[in-house]
Amino acid sequence: MDIAAHIERLEVDGALLAGAAERAGWGEPVAACRWDVRQLVTHLGGVHRWAAALVRTAARDSLEEVAATVGTGPGDDELLDWFRAGHADLVATLRAAPADLTCYTFLPAPSPLAFWARRQAHETAIHRADAESAAVGITQFPVAFAQDGIGEMLHGFARRRNNAIDAPGTVAVRPDDGGAAWLVTMGGERLEATEVAADVDADCTVSGSSSDLYLWLWNRPADVTISGDASIAERWRQIRVRWS
């Protein structure tokens, strides 16, 4: 996916999240991340403001003074408007940013602008699913976007050394909608993931739509089928997503 497509997806999912939060109500629990809807919206509204500040100022470091405010926001009466304003500002900031932007990033990417467009699209998408899970049910993600999110997880967060899984084992991630299949290999200094043929041998296989596999890899509720040694797939629950 290109930068413009990621920004468009960010715009769509932010609007869907706001609508789902409004329907659910602030106190509704979001089981996947142990928050309620209020905390979810406050968190993401802060993340959007942090990302926009990094891009707008071409910051060379993480702007800790801004990052430290993530998790704080206004009261309930103002919270939804505050979220929508921060989301709109992030979308506009990314669209206005120069292609040769140089700023802080924390995962491999073709460029800083590509990184922030992609990272904020997927941050918002996963939390949109969280908000919808507290409201009326999760809207499926398009195949191309879900596949892109699978790639970001497997080649980004999951490959960090602090996400290494000591016990050896392999997991095939097999979509049933024409998307790419992956083989995840555990037991080394880093988790390894490669695109493979759909019928690759593995200790266990997780299959479903690309959208549900994307959610499963983010440790969200998903309609997937696990065959083979399910205890190996369960090890994936150790994977954590952190900014640093």
Side-chain angles (χ1 to χ4, degrees), residues 63-109:
L63 294 183
E64 290 185 8
E65 69 279 10
V66 179
T69 67
V70 173
T72 63
D76 291 356
D77 290 347
E78 301 174 17
L79 184 55
L80 199 60
D81 287 342
W82 173 85
F83 171 81
R84 285 174 166 144
H87 170 245
D89 179 60
L90 174 60
V91 169
T93 298
L94 288 168
R95 284 186 170 142
D100 62 352
L101 171 73
T102 299
C103 71
Y104 169 81
T105 62
F106 56 85
L107 291 176

Side-chain angles (χ1 to χ4, degrees), residues 115-185:
F115 167 81
W116 282 109
R118 185 190 206 195
R119 178 80 290 280
Q120 289 306 296
H122 289 296
E123 179 82 5
T124 303
I126 290 297
H127 288 318
R128 181 266 277 178
D130 289 333
E132 288 184 336
S133 73
V136 296
I138 298 172
T139 306
Q140 289 274 298
F141 294 101
V143 172
F145 181 74
Q147 285 279 316
D148 184 73
I150 290 170
E152 190 207 35
M153 169 59 79
L154 293 179
H155 284 161
F157 292 111
R159 271 194 49 77
R160 288 176 162 177
R161 289 184 185 276
N162 58 12
N163 273 325
I165 297 173
D166 293 337
T170 54
V171 179
V173 178
R174 185 180 297 167
D176 59 16
D177 52 17
W182 295 80
L183 181 67
V184 178
T185 303

Side-chain angles (χ1 to χ4, degrees), residues 17 62 81:
L17 187 153
S62 63
D81 287 342

Side-chain angles (χ1 to χ4, degrees), residues 19 31 36 50 64 71 87 106 119 154 156 203 216-217 235 242:
D36 59 22
W50 173 63
E64 290 185 8
H87 170 245
F106 56 85
R119 178 80 290 280
L154 293 179
D203 296 318
W216 184 85
L217 288 165
R235 293 175 195 162
R242 304 174 180 89

